[in-house]
Every structure is written in structure tokens, then in C-alpha cells.
């Protein structure tokens, strides 16, 4: 489980302190798919980078299973946190199996030699994501959806209790977006890992996420199930503007005021 205690996130540059969000006290639970939503520029990526220890918190603390991450080495963190980024891996002449096997690097030492146990873990990760047919393909030949599944398999091969994903459905067509979020939801159940992702696919998040974190400028982070955030007005306050209407009864978003002649 991830526990945030009075967490503040942001930047310090040239002696200027830019706070993006503060006073976040919450848990991110294992066995659930948690989706981070909010407008562009609100700080979703900053929160993910801070949770991943890619940048320091401005205040407060982050715990994984009661361990404060601020005191952990990079190697220790690599055995606790797996990260899947939006950027596409710039890789040539490497097979899908070989790239997924890089997830074993926290355990294989300097030379990266795979033992039979490591190979078995890679094969199981490939099976769980359902990309056995891609095993021997070259990475550069994959579609965007296939590449994202490969990167999720790599994170699974890393055997961390926590996986963070930054916009995993970016660049995918709608059916592939649905497939990706359904896969992550199922993996959270099957593995009991803590899976936390940012997304702009609001309607899918409303349907598939177990829990939502809603970030908005100048407001505390709203946390709850989609139903809870619908009932307390958080989702309506965010979505009922700019030509959109959120129907809390049906949990649907409708476009309004098209003004098409």
C-alpha cells in the first residue's frame, strides 16, 4: 500500500518555490485500479514523478508498505516501483522478449545474466499481458498498442508491488484504449499490485477505475470511487463547463451547445 502524509509537490528553481498541490494525505490501495484525472497542466505528471521518486517532494512523505521512499537507494526503489511512461522506447534490433527481460535488471547484477528463474518470470509476464505471439518480434515493428503491452509486461517482470503509468492509453484508438484499461484493471485484481495511472480518457475512467483522484487548480485533490465523486459534486464541478454536461445518474458525459448550422 502507498501512503501519502501531508505531501506537497512542485518545483524549486532559482530560489523560487512553485507549489502544484499540497497537504495530500491519502492511501493508494493494492488490488485496485486508481486513475488520476484533471485538466492539462494541473500537475498530474508532477505527482507521478514525485511518487516515483524521480523528483523530490516539497514536503511530507511517501510510504510504500510503511517504508519512507526518501530513505531508499535507487536499487531498493527499483524493486518497489515500476514505471511505464508515455514516451515510446527508441529501440532497434531488440526482440520483445529481450526488452521485457530488462525488467529483471534490479535482480541480475552488472552483467544482466538471466537465470532460468528470470526467464520463467519474463515468460509469465508475457503470458499475463497476452502477447505471446509478439515474443520474438522486433520492438520497432510493433504498433502503439502492442508497444504499451510490452512495456506493461516489462514492469510486471520487474516484480514490484507498485506500478505507475503516465497516460498509457495515449496514441491508441478507442477499442485499444478500452482493452488497455480493462487489462490493467484485471492485472490489479490478479496480482494484487497497486496500479496508479494518469489518463485523459474520462468516460473510460468513470467506467473502469475502482478509485479516482481528481486534480483541479487551486483545489484539494478529490479522492473516491467514481460514484462517490459523482454524488459529492466533484465530477460535475469539473466537467460541467466548456460545452460539456456530466449526468451523475448515468455517469455519462454529453457534449452541449454545438451551434452547428
Amino acid at each position: 500500500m502507498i501512503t501519502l502524509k501531508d505531501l506537497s509537490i512542485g518545483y524549486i528553481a532559482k530560489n523560487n518555490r512553485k507549489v502544484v498541490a499540497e497537504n495530500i494525505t491519502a492511501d493508494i490501495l493494492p488490488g485496485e485500479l486508481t486513475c488520476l484525472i484533471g485538466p492539462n497542466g494541473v500537475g498530474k505528471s508532477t505527482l507521478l514523478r514525485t511518487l516515483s521518486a524521480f523528483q523530490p517532494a516539497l514536503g511530507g512523505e511517501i510510504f510504500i508498505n510503511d517504508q519512507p521512499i526518501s530513505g531508499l537507494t535507487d536499487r531498493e526503489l527499483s524493486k518497489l516501483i515500476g514505471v511505464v511512461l508515455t514516451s515510446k522506447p527508441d529501440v532497434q534490433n531488440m526482440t520483445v522478449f529481450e526488452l521485457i527481460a530488462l525488467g529483471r535488471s534490479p535482480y541480475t547484477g552488472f552483467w544482466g545474466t538471466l537465470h532460468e528463474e528470470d526467464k520463467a518470470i519474463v515468460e509469465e509476464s508475457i503470458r499475463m499481458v497476452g502477447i505471446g505471439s509478439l515474443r520474438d518480434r522486433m520492438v520497432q515493428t510493433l504498433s502503439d498498442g502492442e508497444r504499451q503491452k510490452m512495456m506493461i509486461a516489462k514492469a510486471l517482470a520487474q516484480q514490484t508491488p507498485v506500478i505507475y503509468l503516465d497516460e498509457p492509453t495515449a496514441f491508441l484508438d478507442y477499442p485499444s484504449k478500452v482493452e488497455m484499461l480493462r487489462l490493467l484493471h484485471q492485472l490489479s485484481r490478479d496480482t494484487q499490485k497497486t496500479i496508479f495511472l494518469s489518463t485523459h480518457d474520462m468516460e473510460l475512467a468513470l467506467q473502469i477505475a475502482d478509485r479516482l483522484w481528481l486534480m483541479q487548480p487551486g483545489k484539494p485533490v478529490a479522492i473516491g470511487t467514481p460514484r462517490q465523486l459523482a454524488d459529492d459534486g466533484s465530477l460535475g464541478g469539473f466537467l460541467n463547463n466548456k460545452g460539456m454536461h456530466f449526468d451523475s445518474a448515468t455517469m455519462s458525459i454529453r457534449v452541449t451547445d454545438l451551434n452547428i448550422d
Side-chain angles (χ1 to χ4, degrees):
M1 182 172 70
I2 301 165
T3 300
L4 314 183
K5 292 188 177 179
D6 201 26
L7 181 69
S8 295
I9 61 171
Y11 304 89
I12 297 178
K14 296 182 179 179
N15 297 320
N16 291 322
R17 190 171 184 267
K18 168 66 174 176
V19 178
V20 172
E22 57 186 345
N23 307 128
I24 307 172
T25 297
D27 296 326
I28 310 175
L29 302 176
E32 292 187 349
L33 179 64
T34 304
C35 289
L36 173 64
I37 59 176
N40 286 330
V42 75
K44 297 189 297 297
S45 293
T46 301
L47 177 57
L48 278 173
R49 285 195 297 269
T50 306
L51 293 178
S52 306
F54 290 165
Q55 71 181 65
L58 295 183
E61 187 59 270
I62 303 164
F63 298 85
I64 297 180
N65 294 335
D66 297 326
Q67 291 181 277
I69 70 169
S70 58
L72 299 177
T73 66
D74 288 345
R75 187 173 183 81
E76 289 170 332
L77 285 168
S78 70
K79 294 181 179 181
L80 290 172
I81 300 171
V83 180
V84 179
L85 301 175
T86 306
S87 56
K88 301 175 184 179
D90 185 16
V91 173
Q92 300 288 325
N93 301 319
M94 179 180 284
T95 67
V96 168
F97 180 91
E98 290 169 337
L99 188 138
I100 294 172
L102 294 177
R104 299 301 301 159
S105 59
Y107 310 93
T108 55
F110 178 78
W111 298 107
T113 303
L114 293 178
H115 300 289
E116 290 305 312
E117 181 183 358
D118 298 305
K119 293 176 183 178
I121 291 169
V122 173
E123 295 287 7
E124 176 62 9
S125 301
I126 290 171
R127 184 198 66 77
M128 291 180 69
V129 179
I131 55 172
S133 62
L134 305 179
R135 183 187 184 282
D136 299 316
R137 285 263 301 275
M138 303 304 289
V139 170
Q140 67 268 24
T141 70
L142 301 181
S143 69
D144 290 335
E146 291 169 340
R147 189 180 294 109
Q148 282 291 69
K149 288 181 180 180
M150 174 188 68
M151 297 307 293
I152 291 169
K154 176 178 175 290
L156 289 174
Q158 199 173 329
Q159 288 194 310
T160 58
V162 176
I163 298 177
Y164 296 129
L165 303 100
D166 187 13
E167 290 288 342
T169 57
F171 313 119
L172 304 185
D173 58 34
Y174 193 79
S176 298
K177 290 175 187 287
V178 174
E179 181 185 11
M180 183 62 61
L181 287 183
R182 284 173 62 90
L183 169 65
L184 291 168
H185 187 270
Q186 188 62 48
L187 287 172
S188 70
R189 293 290 194 275
D190 292 345
T191 65
Q192 287 298 298
K193 293 181 185 294
T194 302
I195 299 182
F196 184 83
L197 64 91
S198 66
T199 182
H200 284 107
D201 293 311
M202 285 292 307
E203 288 194 286
L204 290 180
L206 291 177
Q207 295 179 68
I208 297 176
D210 295 299
R211 200 168 300 272
L212 296 176
W213 284 40
L214 172 59
M215 294 184 71
Q216 297 187 79
K219 295 184 179 181
V221 179
I223 300 172
T225 66
R227 182 74 264 166
Q228 288 170 336
L229 295 193
D231 290 344
D232 71 13
S234 297
L235 288 172
F238 171 51
L239 293 168
N240 288 334
N241 56 61
K242 298 180 181 179
M244 293 185 296
H245 174 73
F246 173 66
D247 187 329
S248 62
T250 61
M251 300 290 286
S252 61
I253 304 167
R254 180 169 55 88
V255 177
T256 61
D257 301 326
L258 290 175
N259 293 322
I260 296 176
D261 297 328

